[in-house]
Amino acid sequence: MNASTKHLRPLTYRQNRAIECWFRNRRTNKALALREAGYPECIVRQPHKVFGSPAVQRELELRGHGTRGVSNN
């Protein structure tokens, strides 16, 4: 474990749901994924607040997708 991942918080339930919904919707609409995950409209209008968080970025990397959610394949 390197120093940059040592202090990251684990994914919250809603962050995990948002990632799952986003993949299920073929990564086309982050706002829809956030809405389905139960986030309030103030966050839905600013998806970078969730998808830009270090924990979500790390999870996307672990799932084989880059920081923008693009497949590394």
Side-chain angles (χ1 to χ4, degrees):
M1 183 181 292
N2 64 29
S4 65
T5 60
K6 187 164 59 170
H7 299 292
L8 288 180
R9 293 180 179 183
L11 282 179
T12 65
Y13 173 76
R14 283 197 294 185
Q15 286 173 327
N16 192 44
R17 284 259 346 243
I19 292 170
E20 293 296 326
C21 292
W22 191 51
F23 285 137
R24 189 176 59 241
N25 294 326
R26 296 181 175 91
R27 299 186 318 266
T28 57
N29 191 331
K30 289 180 180 176
L32 177 62
L34 292 172
R35 205 171 276 118
E36 289 177 5
Y39 279 95
E41 281 299 312
C42 61
I43 299 297
V44 170
R45 286 188 220 108
Q46 300 178 48
H48 67 276
K49 289 195 173 196
V50 174
F51 285 94
S53 76
V56 172
Q57 293 293 311
R58 181 188 64 204
E59 184 66 22
L60 290 174
E61 287 287 331
L62 290 174
R63 292 183 185 208
H65 297 274
T67 57
R68 297 185 178 268
V70 179
S71 178
N72 290 336
N73 295 335

